[in-house]
Amino acid sequence: MTADKSAGVYSVLPQLPQTGLTNGFIVHVGPLGKSKPTLTIGIADEELATFTTQLPMNPTCVDAGGAPEAPSSACPPYPNFPVGDMPTWSEQITYANLSWEYGKSSDGNGQAFSNVGLTLDTGAPATTIWQNDDLYVDSRFLRNPEGSTVPYTGDFKPKVRLTISAATMVPGGHDLDFYLLTGQKATVNQVSASVRGNDGGPTWSGYMNTGLMLYTYYDVMFDVEHGVVGFRPVKR
């Protein structure tokens, strides 16, 4: 969510020329086939209060390529967005803890990783864990693992319990505590493990792109002005 001039208009919503509309937006998708998606532009205080799960957005800087990194003398900040003068944030918009295992409680058969970047990408139907040396999926969790060494690639086997969790910033609020049992339905429960090739994409692997899936469980608020991403459960 950066104002990178070389990329043209990267995010138009923080640049709308009307007072009250540039501070952020709310995306509602809801259960697939059962909801009417909406986009709310501009966040009022009363709407903000309905999001009791709030996580800090990650900063980024020019030489980080969109990855989380605080601006410094070695990595200058992106300029604020034109018109609304809103700040810019990393494509890995926030951090969360990831884990996966078989069964309902940990008995040593799973994997867990802390402070993993999340990209909340409405344009991606798939949920993908982009691996590196610090974030990788053991081959025993993959249906048909490809590769001769870590990191392996492939889809998760069915009925692996995958959890995304993070502590809320709201006193007395609700922590993010989401889980699903993996399967083979894209946007519903299909999760893949992959690695970046020489495709011109970001080289900062080691994050999860949730794709559209998380939006089917939560309304997601992007408070661009204050650097907060919020989650509000939708009715199933």
Side-chain angles (χ1 to χ4, degrees):
M1 192 178 291
T2 58
D4 185 351
K5 292 181 180 178
S6 65
V9 179
Y10 192 85
S11 182
V12 69
L13 295 181
Q15 304 179 54
L16 295 176
Q18 185 169 333
T19 302
L21 295 185
T22 59
N23 64 340
F25 52 95
I26 299 169
V27 180
H28 166 76
V29 175
L32 295 180
K34 299 180 181 179
S35 180
K36 294 181 179 180
T38 60
L39 174 65
T40 303
I41 302 174
I43 304 172
D45 289 343
E46 55 269 23
E47 191 80 30
L48 179 65
T50 65
F51 287 83
T52 60
T53 302
Q54 297 183 16
L55 309 180
M57 289 185 179
N58 290 326
T60 190
C61 52
V62 171
D63 296 328
E69 184 174 339
S72 65
S73 58
C75 188
Y78 278 101
N80 283 6
F81 283 103
V83 184
D85 198 36
M86 291 293 113
T88 60
W89 305 98
S90 173
E91 293 175 39
Q92 295 178 34
I93 198 70
T94 193
Y95 286 125
N97 303 316
L98 297 185
S99 63
W100 44 86
E101 62 189 0
Y102 289 107
K104 293 185 178 180
S105 60
S106 179
D107 58 5
N109 68 353
Q111 292 181 275
F113 300 88
S114 301
N115 297 323
V116 176
L118 295 184
T119 295
L120 309 176
D121 187 355
T122 56
T127 300
T128 304
I129 296 172
W130 292 100
Q131 304 171 97
N132 64 2
D133 290 341
D134 299 317
L135 175 65
Y136 57 90
V137 180
D138 192 284
S139 60
R140 70 181 184 273
F141 293 103
L142 301 178
R143 292 180 66 214
N144 297 298
E146 297 183 5
S148 57
T149 185
V150 173
Y152 300 94
T153 63
D155 292 339
F156 272 69
K157 292 178 178 177
K159 297 185 179 180
V160 175
R161 182 185 174 99
L162 184 143
T163 301
I164 304 172
S165 63
T168 185
M169 300 165 58
V170 179
H174 298 87
D175 294 339
L176 180 64
D177 189 14
F178 170 81
Y179 83 91
L180 61 75
L181 295 179
T182 57
Q184 293 302 303
K185 275 191 170 183
T187 312
V188 177
N189 55 18
Q190 186 177 42
V191 180
S192 300
S194 192
V195 292
R196 286 286 180 191
N198 296 322
D199 57 1
T203 57
W204 32 265
S205 298
Y207 70 102
M208 170 186 258
N209 188 333
T210 66
L212 194 59
M213 178 270 295
L214 209 58
Y215 291 91
T216 67
Y217 291 88
Y218 298 94
D219 293 337
V220 182
M221 174 195 69
F222 296 90
D223 183 349
V224 181
E225 181 177 15
H226 300 106
V228 173
V229 58
F231 299 87
R232 180 176 63 193
V234 299
K235 293 181 181 180
R236 303 295 299 173

